[in-house]
Amino acid sequence: MTEHRHPTKDELDAISMTNPIIVIHTSGHASVANTAMLKLLGISDSSKDPEGGHYGRDKKTGKLNGKLEENASFKALLALTEKMSKEAGNSQDQAIKNLMKAQDEWLSYGQTTICDGRTMGESVGLLEKAASEHLFKADIVYFPDYEYFKKDLNIFKPKYMKYNNHLKLGGFKFSDDGSPQGKTAWLTKPYLVPPEGQSADYKGFPIFSDQVLYDDLKTLFQNHITAQLHVNGDAAIDQALRVIGKLKEENIYKPELRATLIHVQNSRPDHIQKIKDIGLIPSYFSTHVYLWGDWHYSSVFGPERASFISPANSALKAGIIFTMHHDAPVTPPDLITAMYSAVNRRTRSGRILGPDERITPLKALKAITINAAYQLQEEETKGSIKAGKLADLVILDQNPLTINPEQIRSIKVLETIKEGVSVYQRK
């Protein structure tokens, strides 16, 4: 957006007062709705903020401005998709077709194991239906949103870490805060430039209290089930370390569970040793440096904090096993760009953001193969080319270990092979 701000309800109303409209931020953590959409969803000026979410309001009048943040947005989108599903009738057939298109796109990027990092709503049933019809070519590891599905824990437990027609429950997901580029991540120091309508001391906000997170994680860990925790801001990272650290002291969390911190964007140097001591795996969204590094530098964090986002080299020097991800559909399912970003730390404008955090191509490749298999507790069957492991292979048109590191983004996937069977070939 040229204006570098969210649109407003009034601006969407200028498009239509009768057709419901909702515009979703690229991060997925916020959206904006027009008056007709708010009415359809039953959201009014008297609606109270849901726990872990906010309705944007005009500072003068207190009336809704159409902005929905975090759980306010997620709940609205879930309600909307359920309404659309009911009205569409036989929509599951179309949803299955769309899911297969998504699988084909992931395969075209060379991924043979696909992680669904926050499965919500009707998506669990959709995955299970696709598996029952033997439609998956790749392995799909899914992490249901724990708050959404906690009442169904006993139903999920027998499925944990067991593949059934290429589908596996890998644990549960917690979204502890929001998006740095959307300025809803939870920080300890204010945003460099606060979002419109917020004061200079604005630091984002948490989704959970410590107590809620402690109680939920305790239940999971006592059942020997792991968790992934979405933590972008340093305050959210602090909370995760505080809560899981306490559970480890109580001998409830054990490092062999391999709980994972997802994104870990606004990390601080003091986090590194704590992550190692507790026994957690950071999974860095390294592509952020390339895609939004300039925004983080000039508007979100400022130069100092921005230079330490996705601190892969610091983790490496501390002896921490880390992985990298692309967070699709926030970005395309492109791990080659994640490699490029971790190796070069170059933003779209050409700025080198945190040169000390650059890693070698070999270490970046290891993060998305050997380490990724370890994170998902599949290191015995995946991650490297070795007798006895699955023949999950990718053929590239260039060698990422020998070409100019600046050219890594130009690498193309020529063929993807799953268990010895070709499942994608570049035309």
Side-chain angles (χ1 to χ4, degrees):
M1 306 289 284
T2 302
E3 300 84 357
H4 292 299
R5 64 165 176 82
H6 297 278
T8 66
K9 176 186 70 174
D10 293 342
E11 287 166 334
L12 297 184
D13 284 347
I15 298 168
S16 180
M17 287 291 292
T18 53
N19 290 317
I21 301 169
I22 191 163
V23 182
I24 306 169
H25 188 263
T26 185
S27 69
H29 286 267
S31 56
V32 181
N34 70 344
T35 297
M37 179 60 77
L38 293 171
K39 183 177 180 181
L40 178 69
L41 296 170
I43 302 169
S44 68
D45 290 332
S46 61
S47 296
K48 294 182 178 179
D49 286 352
E51 189 173 349
H54 290 309
Y55 295 125
R57 297 180 186 276
D58 185 285
K59 284 233 167 183
K60 295 179 181 177
T61 66
K63 293 187 176 181
L64 296 174
N65 64 13
K67 187 178 179 183
L68 311 173
E69 293 183 325
E70 299 305 326
N71 281 350
S73 182
F74 290 128
K75 289 187 176 184
L77 292 169
L78 280 170
L80 180 61
T81 53
E82 287 173 5
K83 285 178 181 290
M84 292 168 66
S85 178
K86 288 176 183 175
E87 290 183 12
N90 192 26
S91 64
Q92 194 173 58
D93 289 344
Q94 185 58 50
I96 290 285
K97 290 178 182 178
N98 292 340
L99 182 61
M100 293 304 103
K101 287 180 182 179
Q103 176 181 231
D104 288 341
E105 183 170 2
W106 260 251
L107 292 170
S108 77
Y109 280 95
Q111 287 184 243
T112 53
T113 300
I114 299 170
C115 178
D116 186 17
R118 190 186 184 189
T119 317
M120 298 180 73
E122 299 174 349
S123 296
V124 169
L126 186 69
L127 291 173
E128 290 180 338
K129 180 175 173 59
S132 71
E133 295 179 5
H134 301 273
L135 296 176
F136 288 130
K137 302 173 187 175
D139 285 337
I140 313 296
V141 185
Y142 69 106
F143 290 79
D145 182 277
Y146 186 74
E147 294 304 307
Y148 190 92
F149 287 108
K150 66 164 63 176
K151 65 182 184 304
D152 301 318
L153 178 59
N154 287 332
I155 297 174
F156 281 104
K157 280 166 62 175
K159 305 171 186 177
Y160 180 59
M161 291 295 173
K162 297 174 183 174
Y163 274 111
N164 180 24
N165 296 328
H166 291 292
L167 180 66
K168 180 179 94 168
L169 172 69
F172 285 85
K173 179 69 172 286
F174 293 80
S175 284
D176 294 33
D177 72 337
S179 156
Q181 69 270 38
K183 298 187 178 179
T184 57
W186 183 26
L187 314 181
T188 59
K189 296 179 180 178
Y191 282 88
L192 184 65
V193 179
E196 187 176 15
Q198 296 290 351
S199 60
D201 63 352
Y202 172 76
K203 302 174 185 175
F205 53 92
I207 304 299
F208 306 113
S209 67
D210 278 23
Q211 190 61 53
V212 168
L213 190 60
Y214 172 87
D215 290 343
D216 288 347
L217 288 173
K218 182 178 180 180
T219 297
L220 275 185
F221 296 156
Q222 285 179 328
N223 280 281
H224 310 292
I225 295 174
T226 195
Q228 291 191 345
L229 289 82
H230 164 118
V231 285
N232 262 315
D234 64 333
I237 300 169
D238 285 342
Q239 183 187 56
L241 297 175
R242 191 165 57 241
V243 170
I244 302 178
K246 182 181 178 184
L247 288 164
K248 186 183 181 187
E249 288 173 4
E250 296 169 352
N251 203 33
I252 295 169
Y253 175 71
K254 295 177 174 58
E256 54 263 33
L257 284 171
R258 303 179 194 176
T260 304
L261 303 180
I262 301 293
H263 305 329
V264 214
Q265 285 294 339
N266 177 218
S267 194
R268 302 191 309 262
D270 64 285
H271 288 148
I272 300 297
Q273 190 60 43
K274 293 174 184 175
I275 289 171
K276 183 178 182 181
D277 291 344
I278 295 171
L280 300 170
I281 298 173
S283 184
Y284 295 121
F285 192 175
S286 299
T287 307
H288 252 261
V289 176
Y290 171 67
L291 284 179
W292 293 294
D294 293 317
W295 180 241
H296 292 329
Y297 184 94
S298 64
S299 184
V300 179
F301 299 130
E304 184 179 351
R305 286 185 289 176
S307 69
F308 203 69
I309 64 171
S310 299
N313 195 43
S314 289
L316 188 65
K317 288 190 291 187
I320 294 171
I321 293 174
F322 66 90
T323 65
M324 300 188 306
H325 60 272
H326 49 60
D327 206 33
V330 174
T331 74
D334 178 7
L335 286 171
I336 290 174
T337 293
M339 278 188 63
Y340 165 87
S341 191
V343 169
N344 295 286
R345 302 281 298 191
R346 188 180 292 279
T347 70
R348 283 191 283 181
S349 73
R351 176 184 286 114
I352 303 299
L353 193 62
D356 291 344
E357 292 306 321
R358 291 179 289 196
I359 59 176
T360 67
L362 181 60
K363 297 300 183 185
L365 188 62
K366 185 176 179 180
I368 60 174
T369 54
I370 293 172
N371 292 1
Y374 179 85
Q375 178 188 310
L376 296 177
Q377 302 187 26
E378 299 186 18
E379 69 272 21
E380 297 300 320
T381 57
K382 296 178 182 176
S384 62
I385 302 173
K386 185 178 178 182
K389 289 192 174 185
L390 297 176
D392 292 359
L393 308 168
V394 178
I395 299 174
L396 307 175
D397 70 339
Q398 300 176 82
N399 185 343
L401 305 182
T402 58
I403 66 168
N404 182 338
E406 292 280 359
Q407 301 302 314
I408 288 175
R409 282 198 75 227
S410 70
I411 294 173
K412 300 288 190 294
V413 174
L414 298 180
E415 186 172 8
T416 305
I417 299 165
K418 174 63 179 159
E419 297 176 23
V421 177
S422 180
V423 289
Y424 166 78
Q425 287 184 308
R426 187 175 179 83
K427 295 178 181 178

